[in-house]
Amino acid sequence: MGCKAVCFGLSCLLFAYYIYTPIPQNIEERWKVGILDAVVKIISLMGTLFESIGLMRCEEWFFTIMRLDVTKPISDENVTVLDTAFGDIPVRLYLPKRKLEKQRPAVIFLHGGAFVLGTCKLSAYDSTNRRTANKLGAVVVGADYRLAPQYQFPVSLEDSIFVVKFFLQDDILAKYRVDPTRICISGDSSGGVLATKVTELLQNDPEFKNKIKAQALIYPGLQLLDIFMPSHQENKHGPILSRDLAIKLSSLYLTKDKALPQAMRENQHMPRGSRHLFKFVNWSVLLPEKYKKNHVYKEPVLGKLDPSYPLLMDSRVSPLIANDSQLQNLPLTYILTCEHDILRDDGIIYVTRLRKVGVQVTHDHIEDGFHGALSFIMSPFHLRLGYRIQDKYISWLEENL
């Protein structure tokens, strides 16, 4: 009995050591963030275990947990909420009830989740979109594009483009009394990737040029070329989003082949012939000095992965590798980045590149922020940081849309 108790105690200690990640000192509500981070790591560990024994895939386990947080389309005294579809794509509409003499602005929101997880119906997204609609008097569209690995690249992007083009039809804008000159596309994390790529493609399409007034991106991950940027190294264990989990999920957008995430972990995934693209993501040139710190730039290793993935050279996967002529047509832009986020440097480099080509950019950098904080604004997992990010995002929309 004593031996079993000792073994159990040691197992608990090893488990605690495995899931424990030191929380940066400047983060608000550190104890609560520590608990949330441990919960995410436990869920991830269970997903890996379930996958190894053939019970279910890791992403299926995550999605099972997320389904517990899906909300119904419940209207309130300020906003009518409707679940409908644009073509075959499910959308949730938020329609302000208060009467306005003039036409309304509109926001099309694309949710995050590494192209694999999530829905616009999760409680935090529902809260953010509902509050946006009420605060701005805006029509808000939450889009549920199809997800990988069942639907891999470019399905998520194509669905997002379809939703935006559907909404931009004259009869749809008239139906919801939307001002066609006051439309924004926004998104968080991978939704930010979709938002900026949709915006860029439409701005460079003569039929839709200048129909999008603004884009708003919350901690977007904008490239898969270099997975060893300073932010990847500094925040590889999180909080919340670890480098390993991000690689595991994002690689499913392209393939189920486990060789790709394995190569990405070593930064040896890029195909031969891709070196000319590194200038667009070279952090040693494009990052401000304060974020370089003592890190030494090492170019990703080419040609190690067989078969190779030419899709990694596609700017629809990595918007940061779009050339300057493609970026210069982008509209008014809002980008929010977080210090303790593996994707921090993607957003900061994007700010640098957009400003260089003359795009008007507002950049909010949250020194005590981390990836996914916007998802923690509902009880019992609410964080003051999540509310601050939501406030900054909605305030910018209110001032600029």
Side-chain angles (χ1 to χ4, degrees), residues 126-147:
D126 180 73
S127 171
T128 297
N129 289 335
R130 185 185 299 266
R131 188 174 169 217
T132 301
N134 185 41
K135 186 85 171 174
L136 276 67
V139 173
V140 178
V141 181
D144 267 348
Y145 52 84
R146 287 171 290 177
L147 300 171

Side-chain angles (χ1 to χ4, degrees), residues 74-81 93-100 104-107 125-141 182 390 393-395 397-398:
I74 300 174
S75 301
D76 58 33
E77 66 274 16
N78 299 311
V79 179
T80 299
V81 183
L93 297 178
Y94 299 83
L95 308 173
K97 289 184 177 180
R98 70 176 184 267
K99 303 296 182 182
L100 292 178
R104 302 181 182 278
V107 178
Y125 292 138
D126 180 73
S127 171
T128 297
N129 289 335
R130 185 185 299 266
R131 188 174 169 217
T132 301
N134 185 41
K135 186 85 171 174
L136 276 67
V139 173
V140 178
V141 181
R182 300 170 67 200
Q390 187 189 72
Y393 162 67
I394 294 176
S395 294
L397 290 174
E398 192 173 24

Side-chain angles (χ1 to χ4, degrees), residues 8-123:
F8 177 75
L10 288 173
S11 298
C12 290
L13 286 172
L14 287 171
F15 180 70
Y17 175 79
Y18 176 80
I19 66 170
Y20 173 71
T21 299
I23 304 302
Q25 289 293 326
N26 70 329
I27 284 184
E28 192 177 17
E29 299 179 289
R30 289 179 67 237
W31 65 272
K32 194 183 290 189
V33 174
I35 292 172
L36 291 171
D37 184 63
V39 169
V40 171
K41 284 183 169 59
I42 291 170
I43 292 172
S44 179
L45 181 62
M46 291 176 67
T48 300
L49 175 62
F50 291 161
E51 189 169 285
S52 67
I53 64 177
L55 184 61
M56 66 171 64
R57 295 196 305 269
C58 184
E59 69 275 6
E60 291 175 336
W61 167 240
F62 267 100
F63 212 92
T64 299
I65 298 297
M66 284 187 169
R67 284 195 188 100
L68 301 175
D69 189 46
V70 171
T71 61
K72 299 289 186 182
I74 300 174
S75 301
D76 58 33
E77 66 274 16
N78 299 311
V79 179
T80 299
V81 183
L82 301 171
D83 281 349
T84 183
F86 287 177
D88 294 327
I89 312 301
V91 299
R92 177 167 286 186
L93 297 178
Y94 299 83
L95 308 173
K97 289 184 177 180
R98 70 176 184 267
K99 303 296 182 182
L100 292 178
E101 292 185 8
K102 61 182 181 179
Q103 292 176 306
R104 302 181 182 278
V107 178
I108 301 169
F109 184 85
L110 303 172
H111 69 82
F115 311 104
V116 175
L117 305 172
T119 164
C120 66
K121 298 168 186 174
L122 293 176
S123 61

Side-chain angles (χ1 to χ4, degrees), residues 181-222:
T181 67
R182 300 170 67 200
I183 297 172
C184 175
I185 305 178
S186 66
D188 72 314
S189 193
S190 57
V193 178
L194 295 172
T196 195
K197 200 61 201 182
V198 170
T199 302
E200 179 206 311
L201 292 171
L202 293 185
Q203 286 294 92
N204 289 291
D205 181 338
E207 183 181 352
F208 294 94
K209 185 175 176 63
N210 298 325
K211 290 195 174 184
I212 305 301
K213 181 179 181 180
Q215 61 171 347
L217 319 175
I218 301 172
Y219 39 70
L222 297 163

